[in-house]
Amino acid sequence: MEDHTFVVGQEFPDVKAFRNAIKEAAIAQHFELRIIKSDLIRYFAKCATEGCPWRIRGVKLPNAPTFTIRSLERTHTCGKNAQNGHHQASVDWIVSFIEERLRDNINYKPKDILHDIHKQYGIIIPYKQAWRAKERGLAAIYGSSEEGYCMLPTFCEEIKKTNPGSIAEVFTTGADNRFQRLFVSFHASICGFLSGCLPIVGLGGIQLKSKYLGTLLSATAFDADGGLFPLAFGVVDTENDDSWIWFLSELHKALEMNSEKMPQLTFLSDGQKGTLDAVRRKFPNSCHAFCMRYLSESISKEFKNSRLFHLLWKAAYAKTTTAFKEKMAEIEEASPEAANWIQQFPPSRWALLYFEGTRYGHLSSNIEEFNRWILDARELPIIQVVEQIHNKLMSEFEDRRTRSHSWFSVLAPSAETRMQEVISRASTYQVLRSDEVEFEVISAERSDIVNIGKHSCSCRDWQLYGIPCAHAAAAIMSCRKDVYAFAEKCFTVASYHEAYSEEIYPIPQKIDWNKFGEAPSTLDEDAQVVRPPKFRRPPGRPEKKRICVGELNHEKHTVHCSRCNQTGHYKTTCKADIMKGIEQF
């Protein structure tokens, strides 16, 4: 820590620098400051403790902004014990202390602020003061939440201007033009999904933590290598059935505008009724499955049994009716209540054996991976949330495009590894040919029927994963055909290149936009400024009430007094003697 010593004649660039230096010294040396006079040309202060002689006086030099110390009494007799809730440690001072840290780490928590200030200055400040300082610091760096909503129309126009073909629309409600919904999908994402990704879409939402709350809805896909491919996202003031119907309606429009024929899609979600109904209404020809990550975690939390988690996954991957029934029986044996609970989710919506659509082995969505992109930005204004996603998309597209230039295989790496494994196993199988397309493949364990015309095998791996299984590979190689030609196109390196062929271009900084309050030329001159939604976060920290699950099924313990044999109090709080004395009196 600096000594913060002053001498007569010491100069400072201006009055602000002089005041800050005095305040820093008071905080660092643990004494309270009482300011007697402070203006643009004079400053006089002393120690706030009565009788302490420390004082300082500074003046502005003529014809210059420089401030200098004219007189100084350095002696302290107060003991300098101002350590708890220092008056000079104001919210503004804390903001100046944490500003650079906030720029580096949006998730810089109030408790970390308290720790760092105590470590550097040895003083204790209230939690609420640190929380307010963080809020004010974020607003100073990134702008206020209100400004974020006001600038949304301009920001959407900038997205469409810099990334032609992209969709960025803000929707308002009421006569006062309050924010209701925002939908964004970049042209590169739409085209990349339609030309190079698996026809699987994950749906999910994550709560935002800014002043006006809201929920981020998202639609994600898988690229040829199984990687996360964000397709579209939106922000809604309230997550409900209507907001999901709106979101999927906008997604349908975006896909329809960029394709001659709507692809056959499979949706993965947490199975909420609003999502189910929205998919059924807006994509009637699609299939809808429950995300197995969500389902397995739910059953594990609901019944506090990790074994149920693994059994449910095994049931989901079962390929025969017998295997599926065996796992469901094990679930019932482990917990009859859990077996009854899982009945509310039809197997046709989660088990591979009964699902009618195509998932290529993906039983869970990758929404959680996408949500991690914006975890740190959830407390920021809405524009910063969108910017965070845009910046991540821009860097990911560039990195993956560059990385894939070194791939010389037919299939993307993860699919190529699977293909090499099945080819290796296929060399040990015996193949009996029935006709031009049907084969019997015999292994040490079993016999399977392969039809290379229908891309099917009785083991069902080929149908489930889109890549020939070992039995199919043996049959294909027996008639001297290329095994790779029988893999689904969406797993090829060529498809991966197509997915990331379009660039996502940078969006100018706010300072380069049209001046605040001036509508862009592409907007209607009568367009109104978007106001924040009426819903807002309650002040202070959210209340957390921890309830022990075991207590829910137990009767409340009755307290018994050993002195008077009555219930409702302990011996230490017994008033029997007092009451007895009153009665005698």
Side-chain angles (χ1 to χ4, degrees):
M1 187 185 297
E2 299 178 13
D3 291 336
H4 296 286
T5 55
F6 301 108
V7 295
V8 175
Q10 186 175 348
E11 295 183 351
F12 300 85
D14 51 39
V15 65
K16 185 177 180 181
F18 180 73
R19 290 170 181 164
N20 289 340
I22 302 298
K23 179 181 285 191
E24 284 281 327
I27 294 171
Q29 296 177 7
H30 302 164
F31 70 90
E32 292 287 1
L33 197 65
R34 179 177 295 170
I35 300 172
I36 308 301
K37 183 70 175 178
S38 178
D39 56 31
L40 296 178
I41 60 173
R42 291 168 296 179
Y43 184 93
F44 179 39
K46 65 177 184 176
C47 180
T49 304
E50 193 67 32
C52 183
W54 187 93
R55 62 195 62 232
I56 190 169
R57 186 168 65 91
V59 297
K60 177 181 174 296
L61 295 179
N63 303 321
T66 309
F67 244 68
T68 184
I69 298 176
R70 280 292 169 83
S71 64
L72 174 67
E73 173 54 60
R74 301 189 186 91
T75 307
H76 272 285
T77 61
C78 59
K80 297 190 291 186
N81 56 2
Q83 298 177 7
N84 195 357
H86 201 292
H87 284 89
Q88 269 65 53
S90 62
V91 172
D92 287 337
W93 177 81
I94 300 173
V95 169
S96 65
F97 175 80
I98 68 174
E99 187 170 351
E100 288 305 316
R101 292 173 171 85
L102 270 181
R103 290 184 188 276
D104 296 335
N105 178 18
I106 299 171
N107 200 31
Y108 187 38
K109 298 178 180 178
K111 68 176 183 180
D112 298 326
I113 297 173
L114 299 178
H115 175 268
D116 291 346
I117 288 178
H118 184 265
K119 182 179 179 181
Q120 184 163 338
Y121 293 97
I123 64 171
I124 299 171
I125 62 171
Y127 180 94
K128 185 179 288 187
Q129 203 162 343
W131 184 85
R132 286 174 178 166
K134 180 184 177 181
E135 292 283 298
R136 195 176 297 180
L138 290 174
I141 298 169
Y142 301 103
S144 67
S145 295
E146 291 80 6
E147 182 188 4
Y149 288 107
C150 287
M151 296 296 289
L152 266 182
T154 306
F155 184 55
C156 289
E157 288 302 317
E158 288 296 328
I159 291 175
K160 291 185 283 189
K161 187 189 302 180
T162 55
N163 292 267
S166 298
I167 300 170
E169 300 292 341
V170 59
F171 300 81
T172 59
T173 183
D176 50 357
N177 217 39
R178 291 192 178 274
F179 172 84
Q180 186 182 26
R181 295 161 182 163
L182 168 73
F183 182 86
V184 178
S185 185
F186 290 93
H187 180 68
S189 293
I190 301 170
C191 293
F193 170 73
L194 291 171
S195 59
C197 288
L198 278 62
I200 304 172
V201 179
L203 301 174
I206 183 173
Q207 291 292 319
L208 301 179
K209 295 184 177 180
S210 62
K211 183 176 179 181
Y212 295 95
L213 301 176
T215 303
L216 179 84
L217 306 183
S218 51
T220 60
F222 296 89
D223 62 26
D225 198 37
L228 168 68
F229 190 93
L231 173 56
F233 60 94
V235 178
V236 295
D237 56 354
T238 307
E239 182 184 3
N240 52 32
D241 293 0
D242 289 341
S243 61
W244 272 112
I245 290 173
W246 162 83
F247 181 74
L248 288 174
S249 175
E250 294 299 314
L251 179 62
H252 189 278
K253 290 178 191 175
L255 297 176
E256 196 173 42
M257 287 167 53
N258 291 274
S259 61
E260 295 180 0
K261 182 182 179 182
M262 184 65 65
Q264 180 81 27
L265 300 177
T266 294
F267 287 90
L268 296 172
S269 76
D270 59 7
Q272 297 297 324
K273 184 178 182 300
T275 317
L276 290 169
D277 291 343
V279 170
R280 191 180 299 114
R281 288 178 59 178
K282 297 302 175 181
F283 292 88
N285 297 322
S286 66
C287 296
H288 192 178
F290 298 135
C291 170
M292 271 303 298
R293 181 188 289 112
Y294 169 82
L295 208 58
S296 57
E297 288 177 355
S298 295
I299 196 172
S300 181
K301 290 177 183 177
E302 184 76 18
F303 300 99
K304 312 300 178 186
N305 188 339
S306 59
R307 183 166 176 248
L308 295 173
F309 177 93
H310 300 290
L311 287 174
L312 191 62
W313 272 101
K314 289 178 180 179
Y317 273 114
K319 297 174 187 175
T320 65
T321 305
T322 303
F324 179 79
K325 288 181 178 179
E326 284 177 358
K327 297 307 170 187
M328 294 303 290
E330 288 185 51
I331 291 175
E332 186 166 9
E333 182 182 349
S335 171
E337 295 82 7
N340 187 53
W341 179 86
I342 200 66
Q343 297 280 331
Q344 63 183 307
F345 305 102
S348 60
R349 288 288 174 85
W350 56 273
L352 276 176
L353 180 65
Y354 299 104
F355 186 65
E356 295 180 357
T358 304
R359 285 187 282 183
Y360 298 108
H362 291 286
L363 271 66
S364 298
S365 73
N366 47 19
I367 285 293
E368 292 300 319
E369 185 180 349
F370 174 76
N371 289 343
R372 284 195 289 272
W373 286 16
I374 59 110
L375 277 179
D376 289 342
R378 286 195 294 167
E379 296 182 32
L380 297 181
I382 189 170
I383 283 181
Q384 271 65 45
V385 175
V386 179
E387 283 185 336
Q388 178 97 345
I389 297 172
H390 165 261
N391 292 338
K392 186 71 175 177
L393 275 172
M394 193 165 58
S395 63
E396 287 292 329
F397 267 56
E398 179 61 31
D399 290 347
R400 296 180 188 186
R401 190 161 42 241
T402 303
R403 186 168 65 246
S404 65
H405 288 330
S406 62
W407 297 350
F408 299 105
S409 57
V410 176
L411 303 181
S414 60
E416 180 67 26
T417 299
R418 186 180 181 89
M419 182 66 87
Q420 291 297 326
E421 290 174 354
V422 301
I423 290 175
S424 177
R425 291 204 307 273
S427 61
T428 63
Y429 295 166
Q430 180 185 358
V431 180
L432 302 177
R433 187 166 187 168
S434 175
D435 55 31
E436 288 297 317
V437 294
E438 194 164 273
F439 303 79
E440 181 182 2
V441 180
I442 303 171
S443 63
E445 303 84 17
R446 53 188 287 173
S447 172
D448 288 278
I449 305 301
V450 174
N451 189 309
I452 62 174
K454 295 180 179 178
H455 286 212
S456 67
C457 175
S458 57
C459 77
R460 300 194 74 237
D461 269 19
W462 194 359
Q463 300 94 298
L464 294 175
Y465 295 97
I467 295 173
C469 59
H471 313 112
I476 294 166
M477 290 188 296
S478 71
C479 51
R480 300 183 183 279
K481 292 186 178 181
D482 182 12
V483 181
Y484 285 90
F486 289 83
E488 291 291 337
K489 179 180 178 296
C490 58
F491 291 109
T492 63
V493 172
S495 290
Y496 192 93
H497 288 157
E498 288 180 18
Y500 298 103
S501 61
E502 298 277 346
E503 279 195 56
I504 294 183
Y505 298 97
I507 302 170
Q509 295 296 315
K510 192 184 301 183
I511 195 171
D512 298 323
W513 299 356
N514 294 322
K515 290 182 180 179
F516 179 70
E518 294 181 3
S521 57
T522 52
L523 284 178
D524 186 353
E525 293 181 358
D526 297 328
Q528 295 178 339
V529 174
V530 177
R531 298 182 64 193
K534 291 183 179 180
F535 304 102
R536 58 180 297 174
R537 182 184 61 205
R541 296 181 71 182
E543 291 185 6
K544 290 185 179 179
K545 186 176 181 181
R546 300 183 184 276
I547 301 176
C548 179
V549 177
E551 293 177 357
L552 297 178
N553 298 321
H554 288 81
E555 293 182 2
K556 188 176 180 180
H557 175 66
T558 303
V559 177
H560 186 268
C561 177
S562 60
R563 176 180 293 174
C564 66
N565 293 324
Q566 300 296 316
T567 59
H569 63 272
Y570 291 105
K571 176 182 177 181
T572 53
T573 58
C574 182
K575 299 179 181 179
D577 292 342
I578 298 174
M579 295 302 296
K580 186 176 180 181
I582 293 173
E583 289 173 0
Q584 288 177 351
F585 179 76

